[in-house]
C-alpha cells in the first residue's frame, strides 16, 4: 500500500528495514528473517525454509528462530495474539500479513513483488539498465514506452512477439526486468521467465520455455496452469514431472503417446491462449542467441497464430551472434516474421553523455561530483552500461569516489580517471576479481566451470568445506559482487544448496578464462562427478549438461553415453535437429576411444538415434539416413545378443521395411527372433514375430506371415498389459500391427470373413489405447482392407476417423496414405479427375520421404482410375512403375494384381491384343497360385475367364473359374465373389 504509514519496506543495499518513516534496529540475522518474510508476503514460510535460507552456514535450534521472531515483533510493535505483521501458523511456520509498498522504477527499496517469486528474475547489481536495489535506469524512456505500447496491444487481444536486442552489457535484461516490475505492480499479469544457457542450451529442446512453465507452475496460482496443460498440452506436462503427482505423471504419459513435433507445438500454443483468457500472460525468454532451434520454431508458430490472445512474448538476443554467417535459426525465423508483421524489434543503443550524467545524479543524489566526470566516463566506457557501472564500482572500491560531508566526491581531477582506468571491460572485471580473497576467487572459479547459473554444491574448490564455500557465495551475492542468489537447488540425492547466477555472462567468462588450460579438464570432471552423484538414477534429466562437462574433461566414453541419453530425450520431444546434434557429437567423442566393446555398443545406439533424427528431418530416402542405418546394421553383427539390442533392431528393421528393402528387413527380423527365443522374453518375441510377419506379408510369403502375425496377436493378448507402455514400441503398438496385418493376410489367403473379424479386433484394440498414431495407423490399414472388398462407406468412415488424428497430430506418413485412399474414394464417387490428382499427390509425398512400402498397391489404384478415365496408356505406365518398384524392393504382395491390371489395360488399349492380355492374366494366376493368394487368384481367374469366354472358350473359362470359386468357404457376399458368381452363372447358361 503506497503511502501506508505502517508499511514495511526493505533496503537491500544497506540492509536496513523501515516501518513507515521509522528505521528498525535489527541484527543482521533478524533482518534476514524479516526480508525473507516480506519478500514472500502472504505465503506460509516454514521453519525449515527459514533455517535453510537464513542459517545456511550453521546448525541452530528452534530457540534461535523464536528469538528472531520475538525481536521482530518487538521492533514492529506487533503481538502474537493479535498479529498485524507476523502471523504464527502453529507447528508449521510464519506468514507476513502486514502492508508493504508497491515497487516503482525509481525507488531504492524492495518490497514484495506483485510477480510471484518463482516467476520473478532476481535483480542484477546496480546498472543503468537493471532493476537492482537502486533501480537506476536511464536512457531507456523510449524503449520502455515501446514495451508499454506493445503490452497494451496484447491486453486488447493482439498477441505480441517483441525482440529486445543489443550488444553484451547494453542492458537488455535490465530493460525487460524494469518493464516487468512496473507492469507487474500495475496489473494482474502472469509472468513466466526462462533463460537459454551458453554451455549446453542449444542442445536442450525448449529449455527456456520449460523453465518458464516450471516457474509458473510452482508459483502462486500454479495449479491453474497445470490444469490447463493437462487439458490442452499433456505432451508438455510429461516434460514437467515435478508439477505432477506420480499418478498424474502416468496418466499424462499415456495421453502424450504417439505425439509429434507439430502436435507438441500446437498443444502449447492452444494452452497459452487458453491461459490468457483468465489473465494476460507475459513470457520472457532471455539470451535467444544460445537457444535451441525447437524453441525458435515454437516462437514462429506462436507469432503467426491469428486467434485472439492476451499474450506477450519478450525475447532478448545479441545481433552479432545471430548474424548471417552464423546460420543461426533465429535469423531465418525472425526475418520471416518481420516480413509479415508478426514481430517487433527494439534495438538498444549505447548511452549518451547526457544519460551518463543522469545516471550519476540518480545513483548519487545531491552529489558534489565535477560536471566533467560524466564526459570522462562516457569516453572511457563508450557508453556501455555494464562497463560504466563496473568502472564506477571500481572507483568506489579504490576510494577515488567516496562519501564526504554528506556528499559523494571525487579524489583528484576527473581527467585522471581515463589514464588509470582499464581499457576494456574484461580488464576491469579482472581487477574486481583480484580484489576478492583467494578463497572467494577459488569458489567463483569452481562455479564458473558449472556455467552462468550454478548450485553452491558444485562451487566447492579442493580443500574447502562445502558449507564454507556456500557461505562465501551467499556473502558475495548479498553484496552484489559478481553473483546473485536465485533460489534453492534440490537434487534427487537430498542435497539442498543455494542456487546462484553470475550477474552477467562476462563475469563467468572472465573467471573461467583464468583457469589454466591444463586444469580445466580436471575441474569439469569434478563438476560432472558431483552432478552425477547428486542426480543418481535421474542423471538423464541433465544429460546434455553432463555430456558437455565430460567432453571438456576428455572422458569421452561417459560423454558419448550422456549424448545418447540427451539425443533420445530430444527425440521424445520431437526436437530432431537437437537429437541429431547430440548423436553426432556423441559419435565424435567415440572416435577418441579404442575399438573396445563399449565403443561398438555406444556407436550402435548413437547411429540409431541419429538415423531416427535424420529420417524425421530429411526423409527415408536421404543418403545420410541410408548410410547411418547401414552402419547400424553392420554394428549389430559385432555386438552379439544383448538386451540393449531390442530397440536398435526395431529401429533398423522399421527403416528397411518402410524403404521397401525387404531382404535386409527380413535379416533383421530373423536376428531378432533368434535373440528373443534364446532370451525367452515375451516382449522380444512379440517384437520379432511382428517384424517377421510384416516383412513376410509385403514380400508375398502369406502363409509364413500369418503364422508370425497370429503368434504376435496371441503374445499381445497373453501379456496382460498395454503394449504402448513398452519402451521399444513408441511408434505403433505391436498388438495393433499384428492384428491389422493378420486381417490383410487372411483376406489375401481367401478368408474374407475371418479377415473382417480380425480387422474389427485390431480397431477395437487401437481405439482402446490412448495412442493416436496407432489408432490412425489401424484406421488407414482397415480402410485399405475395405477398399479391397469394395466397401466404400466403411472405407470412408475409417478414413474420416484417421484424418482427424493425422491433422491434429501432424502424422506426415499417414497423411500421404490418406490422400491416396481418399482420392480413390473420390474417383469411385464420380469425381474421377479430382480423385486421381489427390492420389498422385499422396504418392508423390510418399516417395518424397523415401517410403516405398505401399507404392505398388498405390500405383495399382492409380492405374485402375486411369482405366475408368479411358487412358490405358497412362494406366499401363503406372502398372509398369509398380512392377519395377516391386522387383527392386522385393514387395511381391500386390504383384499378381498389377499383372491382372496390365492385362485389362492392354485390352482397353487394343481390344485385339487378346494374346498379350492373356499372358498377363496367366502370369497373375501363376503368382497368386504360388503365393496361395486365393483372393487375388479369384480376380485373375475372373478376368481370364471373361477373356476366354469372349473368344468362345466357354468350357475352359467355366472350368478355370469354378475351380477357384469352389475353393472358397466364406465371404460370398463380397464384391469379388459376387462378380465371380455372376460370371459363372452366365458361363453355365452359355455352356448349356
Amino acid at each position: 500500500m503506497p503511502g501506508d504509514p505502517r508499511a514495511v519496506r526493505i533496503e537491500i543495499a544497506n540492509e536496513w528495514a523501515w516501518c513507515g518513516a521509522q528505521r528498525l534496529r535489527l541484527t543482521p540475522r533478524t533482518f534476514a528473517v524479516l526480508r525473507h518474510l516480506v519478500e514472500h508476503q502472504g505465503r506460509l514460510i516454514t521453519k525449515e525454509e527459514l533455517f535453510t535460507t537464513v542459517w545456511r552456514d550453521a546448525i541452530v535450534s528452534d530457540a534461535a528462530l523464536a528469538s528472531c521472531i520475538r525481536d521482530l515483533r518487538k521492533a514492529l510493535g506487533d503481538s502474537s495474539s493479535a498479529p498485524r505483521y507476523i502471523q504464527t501458523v502453529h507447528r508449521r511456520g510464519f506468514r507476513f500479513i502486514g502492508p508493504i509498498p508497491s515497487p516503482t522504477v525509481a525507488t531504492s527499496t524492495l518490497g514484495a513483488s506483485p510477480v510471484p517469486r518463482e516467476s520473478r528474475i532476481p535483480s542484477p547489481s546496480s546498472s543503468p539498465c537493471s532493476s537492482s536495489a537502486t533501480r537506476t535506469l536511464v536512457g531507456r524512456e523510449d524503449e520502455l514506452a515501446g514495451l508499454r505500447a506493445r503490452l497494451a496491444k496484447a491486453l486488447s487481444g493482439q498477441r505480441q512477439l517483441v525482440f529486445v536486442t543489443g550488444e553484451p552489457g547494453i542492458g537488455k535484461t535490465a530493460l525487460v526486468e524494469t518493464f516487468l516490475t512496473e507492469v507487474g505492480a500495475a496489473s494482474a499479469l502472469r509472468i513466466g521467465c526462462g533463460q537459454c544457457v551458453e554451455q549446453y542450451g542449444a542442445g536442450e529442446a525448449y529449455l527456456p520455455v520449460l523453465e518458464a512453465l516450471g516457474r509458473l507452475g510452482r508459483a502462486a496460482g500454479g495449479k491453474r496452469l497445470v490444469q490447463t496443460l493437462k487439458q490442452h498440452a499433456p505432451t508438455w506436462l510429461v516434460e514437467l514431472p515435478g508439477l505432477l503427482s506420480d499418478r498424474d505423471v502416468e496418466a499424462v504419459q499415456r495421453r502424450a503417446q504417439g505425439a509429434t513435433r507439430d502436435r507438441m507445438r500446437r498443444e502449447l500454443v492452444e494452452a497459452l491462449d487458453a491461459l490468457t483468457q483468465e489473465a494476460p500472460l507475459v513470457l520472457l525468454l532471455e539470451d535467444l542467441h544460445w537457444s535451441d532451434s525447437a524453441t525458435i520454431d515454437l516462437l514462429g508458430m506462436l507469432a503467426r497464430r491469428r486467434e485472439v490472445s492476451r499474450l506477450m512474448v519478450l525475447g532478448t538476443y545479441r545481433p552479432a551472434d545471430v548474424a548471417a554467417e552464423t546460420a543461426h535459426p533465429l535469423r531465418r525465423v525472425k526475418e520471416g516474421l518481420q516480413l509479415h508483421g508478426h514481430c517487433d524489434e527494439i534495438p538498444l543503443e549505447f548511452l549518451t553523455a547526457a544519460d551518463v550524467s543522469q545516471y550519476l545524479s540518480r545513483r548519487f543524489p545531491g552529489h558534489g561530483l565535477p560536471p566533467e566526470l560524466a564526459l570522462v566516463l562516457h569516453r572511457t566506457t563508450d557508453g556501455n552500461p555494464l562497463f560504466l557501472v563496473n568502472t564506477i564500482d571500481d572507483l568506489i572500491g579504490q576510494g577515488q569516489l567516496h562519501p564526504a560531508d554528506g556528499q559523494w566526491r571525487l579524489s583528484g581531477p576527473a581527467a585522471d580517471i581515463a589514464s588509470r582506468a582499464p581499457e576494456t571491460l574484461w580488464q576491469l572485471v579482472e581487477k574486481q576479481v583480484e580484489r576478492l580473497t583467494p578463497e572467494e576467487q577459488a569458489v567463483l572459479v569452481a562455479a564458473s566451470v558449472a556455467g552462468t547459473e550454478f548450485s553452491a554444491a558444485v562451487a566447492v574448490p579442493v580443500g574447502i568445506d562445502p558449507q564454507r564455500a556456500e557461505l562465501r557465495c551467499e556473502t558475495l551475492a548479498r553484496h552484489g559482487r559478481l553473483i546473485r542468489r536465485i533460489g534453492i537447488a534440490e537434487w534427487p540425492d537430498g542435497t539442498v544448496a543455494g542456487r546462484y547466477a553470475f550477474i552477467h555472462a562476462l563475469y563467468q567468462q572472465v573467471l573461467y578464462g583464468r583457469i589454466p588450460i591444463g586444469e580445466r579438464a580436471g575441474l569439469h570432471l569434478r563438476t560432472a562427478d558431483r552432478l552425477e552423484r547428486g542426480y543418481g538414477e535421474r542423471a538423464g534429466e541433465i544429460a546434455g549438461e553432463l555430456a558437455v562437462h565430460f567432453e571438456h574433461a576428455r572422458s569421452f566414453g561417459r560423454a558419448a553415453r550422456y549424448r545418447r541419453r540427451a539425443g533420445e530425450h530430444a527425440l521424445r520431444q520431437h526436437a530432431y535437429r537437437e537429437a541429431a546434434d547430440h548423436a553426432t557429437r556423441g559419435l565424435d567423442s567415440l572416435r577418441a576411444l579404442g575399438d573396445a566393446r563399449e565403443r561398438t555398443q555406444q556407436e550402435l545406439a548413437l547411429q540409431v538415434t541419429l538415423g531416427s533424427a535424420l529420417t524425421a528431418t530429411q526423409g527415408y530416402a536421404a543418403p545420410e539416413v541410408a548410410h547411418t542405418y547401414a552402419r547400424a546394421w553392420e554394428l549389430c553383427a559385432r555386438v552379439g545378443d544383448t538386451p540393449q539390442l531390442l530397440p536398435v533392431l526395431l529401429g533398423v528393421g522399421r527403416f528397411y521395411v518402410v524403404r521397401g528393402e525387404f531382404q535386409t528387413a527380413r535379416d533383421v527380423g530373423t536376428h531378432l527372433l533368434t535373440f528373443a527365443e534364446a532370451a525367452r522374453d515375451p516382449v522380444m518375441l512379440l517384437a520379432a514375430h511382428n517384424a517377421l510377419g510384416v516383412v513376410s506379408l509385403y514380400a508375398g510369403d502369406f502363409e509364413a506371415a500369418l503364422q508370425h502375425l497370429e503368434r504376435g496377436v496371441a503374445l499381445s493378448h497373453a501379456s496382460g498389459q498395454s503394449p504402448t507402455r513398452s519402451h521399444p514400441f513408441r511408434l505403433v503398438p505391436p498388438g495393433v500391427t499384428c492384428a491389422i496385418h493378420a486381417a490383410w493376410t487372411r483376406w489375401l489367403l481367401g478368408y474374407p470373413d475371418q479377415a473382417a473379424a480380425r480387422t474389427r479386433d485390431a480397431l477395437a484394440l487401437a481405439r482402446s489405447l490412448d495412442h493416436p498414431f496407432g489408432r490412425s495407423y489401424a484406421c488407414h490399414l482397415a480402410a485399405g482392407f475395405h477398399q479391397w472388398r469394395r466397401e466404400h462407406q466403411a472405407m470412408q468412415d475409417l478414413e474420416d476417423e484417421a484424418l482427424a488424428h493425422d491433422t491434429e497430430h501432424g502424422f506426415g506418413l499417414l497423411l500421404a496414405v490418406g490422400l491416396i485412399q481418399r482420392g480413390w474414394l473420390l474417383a469411385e464417387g464420380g469425381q474421377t479427375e479430382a480423385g486421381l490428382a489427390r492420389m498422385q499427390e499422396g504418392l508423390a509425398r510418399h516417395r518424397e520421404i523415401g517410403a516405398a512400402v505401399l507404392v505398388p498397391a498405390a500405383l495399382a489404384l492409380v492405374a485402375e482410375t486411369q482405366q475408368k478415365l479411358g487412358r490405358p496408356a497412362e494406366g499401363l505406365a503406372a502398372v509398369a512403375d509398380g512392377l519395377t518398384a516391386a522387383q527392386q524392393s522385393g514387395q511381391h504382395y500386390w504383384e499378381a494384381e498389377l499383372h491382372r491390371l496390365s492385362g485389362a489395360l492392354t485390352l482397353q488399349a487394343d481390344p485385339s491384343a487378346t494374346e498379350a492380355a492373356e499372358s498377363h492374366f496367366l502370369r497373375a494366376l501363376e503368382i497368386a497360385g504360388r503365393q496361395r493368394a486365393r483372393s487375388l487368384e479369384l480376380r485373375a481367374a475372373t478376368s481370364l475367364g471373361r477373356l476366354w469366354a469372349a473368344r468362345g472358350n466357354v468350357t475352359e473359362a467355366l472350368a478355370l473359374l469354378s475351380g477357384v470359386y469352389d475353393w472358397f468357404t466364406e465371404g460370398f457376399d463380397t464384391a469379388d465373389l459376387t462378380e465371380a458368381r455372376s460370371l459363372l452363372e452366365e458361363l453355365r447358361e452359355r455352356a448349356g
Side-chain angles (χ1 to χ4, degrees):
M1 299 180 190
D4 191 324
R6 298 183 302 112
V8 174
R9 68 183 192 277
I10 305 296
E11 285 190 23
I12 294 176
N14 297 317
E15 294 194 0
W16 288 350
W18 299 77
C19 184
Q22 178 185 358
R23 180 183 160 196
L24 306 177
R25 303 296 177 181
L26 305 175
T27 65
R29 194 76 73 184
T30 307
F31 169 83
V33 171
L34 179 61
R35 174 185 172 183
H36 194 76
L37 290 171
V38 168
E39 286 182 344
H40 301 81
Q41 181 195 33
R43 181 166 76 83
L44 171 66
I45 305 300
T46 65
K47 295 179 180 180
E48 290 75 16
E49 182 175 340
L50 285 170
F51 284 138
T52 300
T53 305
V54 179
W55 279 275
R56 184 181 306 103
D57 55 320
I59 299 176
V60 296
S61 65
D62 286 359
L65 176 57
S67 176
C68 278
I69 296 296
R70 187 168 54 250
D71 290 346
L72 282 175
R73 285 195 171 119
K74 182 178 180 181
L76 291 165
D78 200 16
S79 166
S80 60
S81 58
R84 296 181 302 153
Y85 292 97
I86 301 174
Q87 178 188 63
T88 299
V89 181
H90 186 55
R91 292 187 178 180
R92 296 182 64 194
F94 306 94
R95 180 181 285 114
F96 188 84
I97 59 174
I100 60 174
S102 297
T104 61
V105 174
T107 184
S108 63
T109 64
L110 179 65
S113 172
V115 183
R117 182 177 184 273
E118 286 289 343
S119 300
R120 189 175 70 242
I121 296 181
S123 302
S125 66
S126 178
S127 161
C129 300
S130 78
S131 55
S132 67
T134 54
R135 309 276 186 186
T136 308
L137 185 80
V138 298
R140 299 294 184 239
E141 290 77 11
D142 292 343
E143 290 81 358
L144 274 173
L147 289 174
R148 294 185 195 111
R150 289 162 177 85
L151 177 62
K153 289 184 177 181
L155 294 177
S156 71
Q158 302 177 51
R159 71 183 66 240
Q160 299 291 304
L161 172 59
V162 184
F163 294 110
V164 176
T165 66
E167 301 309 311
I170 207 163
K172 300 180 291 295
T173 296
L175 173 68
V176 295
E177 284 185 4
T178 300
F179 168 69
L180 292 180
T181 300
E182 172 188 308
V183 300
S187 57
L189 290 174
R190 283 192 179 98
I191 299 177
C193 305
Q195 188 162 18
C196 305
V197 180
E198 180 180 15
Q199 288 90 334
Y200 56 88
E204 295 296 303
Y206 305 113
L207 176 65
V209 179
L210 289 169
E211 182 182 358
L213 292 175
R215 285 177 166 171
L216 283 167
R218 291 187 298 271
K223 288 184 178 179
R224 181 56 192 150
L225 171 74
V226 173
Q227 291 171 354
T228 302
L229 292 177
K230 277 185 182 178
Q231 180 180 353
H232 296 280
T235 56
W236 288 81
L237 271 182
V238 169
E239 304 300 324
L240 297 164
L243 300 182
L244 299 170
S245 67
D246 291 342
R247 183 181 61 183
D248 286 341
V249 167
E250 185 176 343
V252 168
Q253 285 175 340
R254 286 197 301 271
R255 286 194 61 203
Q257 285 170 341
T260 64
R261 174 176 53 182
D262 289 342
R263 173 185 166 185
M264 274 197 75
R265 294 173 185 164
R266 186 168 55 253
E267 278 188 359
L268 185 64
V269 169
E270 291 173 356
L272 293 179
D273 285 354
L275 207 60
T276 66
Q277 292 177 12
E278 299 176 355
L281 173 64
V282 179
L283 285 182
L284 169 62
L285 307 179
E286 289 204 86
D287 297 328
L288 288 173
H289 47 276
W290 292 326
S291 176
D292 59 285
S293 60
T295 294
I296 302 302
D297 291 340
L298 174 65
L299 286 180
M301 178 178 282
L302 274 170
R304 284 188 291 268
R305 189 172 168 91
R306 292 295 89 196
E307 284 77 1
V308 171
S309 179
R310 294 187 295 170
L311 172 68
M312 182 178 189
V313 180
L314 291 172
T316 68
Y317 73 86
R318 301 173 185 173
D321 290 341
V322 297
E325 58 270 17
T326 65
H328 197 286
L330 179 57
R331 179 182 178 86
R332 168 183 53 81
V333 171
K334 193 204 74 168
E335 287 179 348
L337 293 175
Q338 279 185 315
L339 182 65
H340 296 92
H342 295 323
C343 74
D344 287 321
E345 183 173 358
I346 297 180
L348 300 186
E349 303 294 340
F350 289 115
L351 300 177
T352 65
D355 294 331
V356 175
S357 179
Q358 185 182 19
Y359 172 68
L360 291 173
S361 297
R362 289 190 180 180
R363 182 167 178 180
F364 308 109
H367 65 73
L369 302 174
E372 63 272 18
L373 178 60
L375 292 173
V376 172
L377 288 172
H378 183 262
R379 284 197 301 268
T380 302
T381 64
D382 292 324
N384 181 297
L386 185 63
F387 198 176
L388 172 65
V389 171
N390 278 273
T391 298
I392 292 174
D393 288 344
D394 184 60
L395 292 173
I396 295 172
Q398 295 181 60
Q400 292 179 266
L401 194 60
H402 59 91
D405 301 325
Q407 287 186 320
W408 283 90
R409 299 190 179 277
L410 184 67
S411 298
D416 290 350
I417 292 174
S419 61
R420 292 195 297 265
E423 294 182 1
T424 66
L425 180 54
W426 186 286
Q427 293 172 342
L428 187 57
V429 176
E430 284 270 18
K431 285 184 62 178
Q432 293 181 15
V433 171
E434 289 167 2
R435 292 199 190 100
L436 302 176
T437 68
E439 189 169 277
E440 289 171 333
Q441 291 184 39
V443 168
L444 290 184
V445 163
S448 74
V449 175
T452 52
E453 293 187 7
F454 59 93
S455 165
V458 298
V460 184
V462 176
I464 297 180
D465 178 80
Q467 286 189 338
R468 185 177 179 86
E470 183 167 1
L471 182 59
R472 291 289 167 265
C473 290
E474 182 63 21
T475 302
L476 289 167
R478 188 177 300 154
H479 294 91
R481 302 180 72 184
L482 302 180
I483 62 174
R484 59 184 179 178
R485 195 169 190 276
I486 59 173
I488 295 175
E490 298 185 37
W491 291 352
D493 70 343
T495 297
V496 178
R499 186 160 182 81
Y500 300 87
F502 286 95
I503 291 170
H504 195 277
L506 178 66
Y507 299 163
Q508 182 264 338
Q509 293 163 4
V510 169
L511 284 154
Y512 187 76
R514 294 169 66 88
I515 305 172
I517 298 296
E519 296 179 13
R520 290 183 182 177
L523 287 172
H524 278 286
L525 183 60
R526 178 181 171 85
T527 301
D529 284 340
R530 183 64 187 94
L531 286 167
E532 194 176 41
R533 290 197 309 275
Y535 276 80
E537 294 181 354
R538 291 171 54 188
E541 296 175 12
I542 56 168
E545 183 177 357
L546 285 170
V548 170
H549 286 303
F550 283 125
E551 284 166 354
H552 284 299
R554 303 189 66 77
S555 180
F556 297 115
R558 295 164 81 182
R561 185 164 66 251
Y562 281 110
R563 282 292 178 193
R564 175 180 60 80
R565 296 179 72 174
E568 290 173 349
H569 181 68
L571 281 180
R572 290 193 292 272
Q573 295 175 306
H574 314 290
Y576 303 117
R577 285 191 289 268
E578 287 74 16
D581 181 64
H582 282 303
T584 300
R585 295 179 69 173
L587 291 169
D588 289 342
S589 290
L590 287 179
R591 292 190 180 96
L593 296 177
D595 283 330
R597 179 181 177 85
E598 178 193 11
R599 182 187 189 282
T600 303
Q601 289 181 321
Q602 289 210 60
E603 183 187 352
L604 176 55
L606 285 164
Q607 292 286 3
V608 173
T609 299
L610 179 60
S612 297
L614 292 177
T615 299
T617 56
Q618 301 182 25
Y620 289 90
E624 296 88 346
V625 177
H627 172 77
T628 299
Y629 277 108
R631 175 61 178 167
W633 180 225
E634 176 188 334
L635 291 167
C636 283
R638 299 188 196 175
V639 170
D641 295 340
T642 69
Q644 291 75 28
L645 197 59
L646 174 60
V648 169
L649 288 173
L650 285 173
V652 173
R654 184 167 54 243
F655 167 77
Y656 285 113
V657 166
V658 175
R659 272 179 65 96
E661 297 183 27
F662 287 98
Q663 186 53 55
T664 305
R666 188 188 294 275
D667 292 343
V668 175
T670 301
H671 193 145
L672 184 56
L673 181 60
T674 302
F675 176 31
E677 288 176 339
R680 297 183 179 180
D681 185 322
V683 174
M684 296 180 189
L685 280 169
L686 172 57
H689 286 295
N690 178 40
L692 281 172
V694 171
V695 169
S696 299
L697 165 62
Y698 287 118
D701 190 355
F702 301 133
E703 291 182 330
L706 189 62
Q707 290 178 11
H708 286 297
L709 293 169
E710 289 296 347
R711 178 65 176 142
V713 171
L715 285 166
S716 177
H717 288 163
S719 66
Q721 61 183 1
S722 170
T724 62
R725 298 181 192 178
S726 300
H727 167 79
F729 307 122
R730 293 196 193 107
L731 191 59
V732 183
V736 174
T737 306
C738 287
I740 196 64
H741 282 101
W744 275 23
T745 307
R746 286 185 179 276
W747 182 86
L748 286 161
L749 287 171
Y751 302 100
D753 291 346
Q754 293 180 41
R758 184 57 81 199
T759 298
R760 289 192 293 272
D761 291 343
L763 287 169
L765 175 59
R767 288 165 177 157
S768 71
L769 303 174
D770 196 358
H771 194 291
F773 189 91
R775 195 178 309 162
S776 177
Y777 181 89
C779 286
H780 280 301
L781 268 66
F785 164 73
H786 287 291
Q787 188 273 324
W788 293 347
R789 288 170 55 112
R790 307 302 196 203
E791 294 168 343
H792 298 141
Q793 189 56 54
M795 184 182 180
Q796 183 69 63
D797 292 343
L798 287 164
E799 278 300 318
D800 289 344
E801 183 179 346
L803 179 62
H805 295 298
D806 296 343
T807 303
E808 179 183 356
H809 302 294
F811 299 145
L813 177 62
L814 299 183
L815 280 167
V817 174
L819 278 171
I820 295 168
Q821 298 195 152
R822 286 190 296 276
W824 183 85
L825 281 168
L826 276 177
E828 287 291 295
Q831 301 180 55
T832 316
E833 290 285 6
L836 179 63
R838 189 165 294 184
M839 280 189 282
Q840 290 172 329
E841 179 188 352
L843 190 58
R845 288 192 189 181
H846 204 64
R847 284 173 151 167
E848 278 174 9
I849 62 175
V853 68
L854 296 177
V855 167
L859 285 166
L861 294 179
V862 170
E864 187 180 302
T865 306
Q866 295 285 15
Q867 184 183 23
K868 287 181 182 296
L869 288 167
R871 301 171 184 167
E874 288 86 344
L876 285 167
V879 167
D881 196 2
L883 287 169
T884 299
Q887 290 301 317
Q888 289 176 345
S889 65
Q891 295 182 74
H892 301 299
Y893 73 105
W894 212 241
E895 197 171 2
E897 181 67 356
L898 286 167
H899 281 288
R900 188 195 68 80
L901 280 169
S902 185
L905 288 161
T906 298
L907 280 177
Q908 186 183 36
D910 181 3
S912 66
T914 56
E915 291 185 4
E918 182 181 32
S919 67
H920 288 298
F921 293 145
L922 287 170
R923 177 65 173 150
L925 269 174
E926 184 272 324
I927 293 171
R930 174 164 37 86
Q931 295 175 339
R932 304 290 193 273
R934 300 296 185 182
S935 291
L936 299 184
E937 187 179 13
L938 179 67
R939 287 187 177 184
T942 301
S943 294
L944 183 56
R946 188 172 284 113
L947 174 62
W948 282 353
R951 290 197 315 198
N953 300 332
V954 176
T955 302
E956 292 88 341
L958 182 59
L960 170 67
L961 186 55
S962 61
V964 177
Y965 181 88
D966 290 346
W967 179 91
F968 283 85
T969 59
E970 63 182 62
F972 293 107
D973 59 341
T974 59
D976 287 345
L977 282 163
T978 300
E979 181 184 353
R981 184 171 62 249
S982 177
L983 180 57
L984 277 173
E985 291 171 355
E986 178 187 332
L987 292 172
R988 289 189 181 110
E989 287 181 6
R990 292 178 60 182

